[in-house]
Amino acid sequence: HFVVEEEELKKGKTKKLKQKVKPDEAAVQEMDQAEIEVTETKSESGACFPPTFSVSEIKNKQRRHAMFLKLKEEKRKQKLELKKKKKKERKVLGDQAPPKEVPKTIENQRIYDETTVNPEDEEVAFDEGTDEFSAYFNQLTNPKVLITTSDRPRGRTVRFCEQLATVVPHAHVYYRRGLALKRVIPQCISRGFTYLMVINEDRKVPNGLILCHLPDGPTAHFKISSVRLRKEMKRRGKDPTEHVPEVILNNFSTRLGHSIGRMFAALFPHDPQFVGRQVATFHNQRDFIFFRFHRYIFKNEKKVGMQELGPRFTLKLRSLQKGTFDSKFGEYEWVHKRHEMDSSRRKFHL
């Protein structure tokens, strides 16, 4: 009997304890709701947070995320208000208004390169008059390009080569069957080709381009990325015609960039056929070379529209080698160093 009574007493105590705990939990919930209401009212009336407030101090993940979004929205509103205020001040001041602040970008913060080319420099003019591309720019030779691939290419790489052949005039696609490049180059020279273009692939995707100028070089090795074929592009125009396109080279400002730009220019014949209205653009930005192929359309006397034809891709220079392709004994003019000690986000080479 005594044992039964003790057990009943223990059960009664635990029930009372549970009943006592419940009101505390209710109070905590009320406190939480009150805090949420306070934060909501604060946000509605323009939330005022103490200067030492940090969102990371909030332990609750959902509340922290909600508070972060509110702070972000508040900053956006403040930025808009400041912009409107400056616009009103500029209208009032008129011509006496201070000049607009130029936003900081990686391009305009670029570290000055000593090899930047001055077009009026006599030394640069002499070098260009005697380099490997001088025969092309003196209109003594016409470009003829052979496009080939690595061994056993997949369908995507083959289609990419075929589409490149429609962009570059006088280009011929040749399917390699285990033939070494050292054997291919003499055959190209004997048949009058001025360029050898090799598309490499990895996991069925084009990932590299070797561009070899014949007969004396130089040879450039590029990494290819962001390849998009014509079928993968939205709002593309009809397939390109056989007209010789215009060539636009942007931002090739250094000595290295100048030689790469001349290398791309020598791929295309001298006199573009403006009737075709086709443009091939090589745009250098932060050492990435973006290729685009467009057709421009005259809507009226003042308005002109652009229609992308494709393909499109991005190149990144890995090395520039003197002479024709030679992986063992070749002399390199420039090699991209990944882990350079003095590397900087604001230092570019092209």
Side-chain angles (χ1 to χ4, degrees):
H1 291 293
F2 288 115
V3 174
V4 171
E5 283 174 4
E6 281 174 8
E7 284 176 1
E8 284 175 357
L9 280 165
K10 281 178 184 177
K11 284 179 184 178
K13 281 179 185 177
T14 50
K15 280 179 185 177
K16 283 176 186 177
L17 284 167
K18 283 177 185 176
Q19 285 172 0
K20 283 178 185 177
V21 168
K22 280 181 182 177
D24 291 338
E25 287 177 357
V28 170
Q29 286 175 359
E30 285 172 9
M31 287 273 285
D32 291 348
Q33 285 174 358
E35 281 175 13
I36 292 161
E37 285 170 7
V38 167
T39 51
E40 283 174 358
T41 51
K42 277 184 182 177
S43 63
E44 284 170 5
S45 62
C48 302
F49 300 106
T52 56
F53 176 77
S54 175
V55 179
S56 59
E57 291 174 9
I58 301 168
K59 302 297 180 185
N60 189 301
K61 188 179 177 181
Q62 289 177 339
R63 279 197 204 167
R64 187 169 64 245
H65 181 64
M67 192 64 73
F68 170 74
L69 292 176
K70 284 172 189 174
L71 282 168
K72 200 174 179 183
E73 183 65 23
E74 190 186 331
K75 281 182 183 177
R76 192 184 68 82
K77 284 178 181 177
Q78 286 175 0
K79 203 173 179 182
L80 277 172
E81 284 172 13
L82 191 68
K83 203 174 182 181
K84 285 176 184 176
K85 191 181 176 182
K86 281 185 178 179
K87 203 174 183 180
K88 283 178 184 177
E89 286 175 3
R90 197 171 287 280
K91 273 189 179 180
V92 171
L93 292 169
D95 296 333
Q96 295 178 354
K100 283 185 178 181
E101 293 178 1
V102 179
K104 287 185 179 181
T105 60
I106 293 175
E107 279 79 15
N108 62 24
Q109 296 295 306
R110 175 177 180 170
I111 296 168
Y112 178 75
D113 196 328
E114 294 174 358
T115 62
T116 302
V117 172
N118 183 3
E120 297 174 1
D121 193 346
E122 291 180 4
E123 187 185 343
V124 173
F126 176 76
D127 288 348
E128 288 180 357
T130 55
D131 68 358
E132 298 90 342
F133 308 106
S134 57
Y136 165 81
F137 285 100
N138 293 328
Q139 299 194 1
L140 299 174
T141 59
N142 288 316
K144 188 180 176 185
V145 184
L146 180 73
I147 301 173
T148 186
T149 60
S150 54
D151 295 336
R152 295 186 292 278
R154 299 299 179 127
R156 186 176 171 80
T157 308
V158 172
R159 285 194 298 275
F160 180 56
C161 291
E162 287 170 353
Q163 290 182 18
L164 269 180
T166 61
V167 172
V168 181
H170 313 304
H172 306 269
V173 180
Y174 172 78
Y175 300 107
R176 238 169 98 196
R177 292 174 185 171
L179 199 64
L181 283 180
K182 283 189 176 181
R183 290 180 63 189
V184 173
I185 289 167
Q187 291 180 24
C188 291
I189 295 167
S190 64
R191 294 178 188 182
F193 284 98
T194 59
Y195 269 103
L196 174 64
M197 191 185 292
V198 184
I199 308 294
N200 294 320
E201 70 171 10
D202 181 37
R203 297 173 189 176
K204 305 180 185 179
V205 177
N207 75 327
L209 167 67
I210 295 169
L211 193 60
C212 181
H213 182 257
L214 303 173
D216 303 317
T219 303
H221 178 221
F222 299 93
K223 176 191 171 185
I224 296 186
S225 59
S226 307
V227 176
R228 292 191 71 181
L229 303 177
R230 288 192 182 118
K231 281 190 176 180
E232 297 163 4
M233 295 170 64
K234 293 179 180 178
R235 299 174 188 170
R236 67 181 178 88
K238 291 180 180 178
D239 288 349
T241 56
E242 293 182 0
H243 294 96
V244 176
E246 301 169 56
V247 182
I248 297 173
L249 300 166
N250 282 340
N251 297 341
F252 293 93
S253 54
T254 63
R255 290 294 290 267
L256 177 66
H258 223 58
S259 57
I260 294 297
R262 284 168 68 82
M263 201 172 192
F264 286 135
L267 278 168
F268 297 85
H270 303 281
D271 301 316
Q273 296 171 335
F274 298 104
V275 179
R277 297 176 283 113
Q278 295 178 161
V279 187
T281 308
F282 294 91
H283 175 74
N284 173 42
Q285 189 172 358
R286 304 177 199 170
D287 288 351
F288 287 93
I289 301 163
F290 300 93
F291 175 80
R292 299 290 184 271
F293 192 53
H294 288 94
R295 178 187 291 127
Y296 50 90
I297 301 161
F298 294 105
K299 294 180 179 178
N300 53 42
E301 291 179 357
K302 293 181 180 178
K303 286 188 177 181
V304 180
M306 297 289 283
Q307 194 178 46
E308 192 171 355
L309 305 178
R312 66 160 70 163
F313 53 89
T314 306
L315 299 173
K316 175 86 171 174
L317 183 65
R318 289 299 179 203
S319 65
L320 184 65
Q321 184 183 348
K322 286 183 179 180
T324 54
F325 178 79
D326 189 352
S327 57
K328 282 188 178 180
F329 306 107
E331 184 186 346
Y332 287 89
E333 287 184 40
W334 183 85
V335 178
H336 173 67
K337 295 176 183 177
R338 290 186 182 180
H339 305 291
E340 212 169 349
M341 292 299 289
D342 60 340
S343 63
S344 169
R345 284 184 69 204
R346 295 184 289 123
K347 188 175 181 181
F348 307 112
H349 302 281
L350 296 182

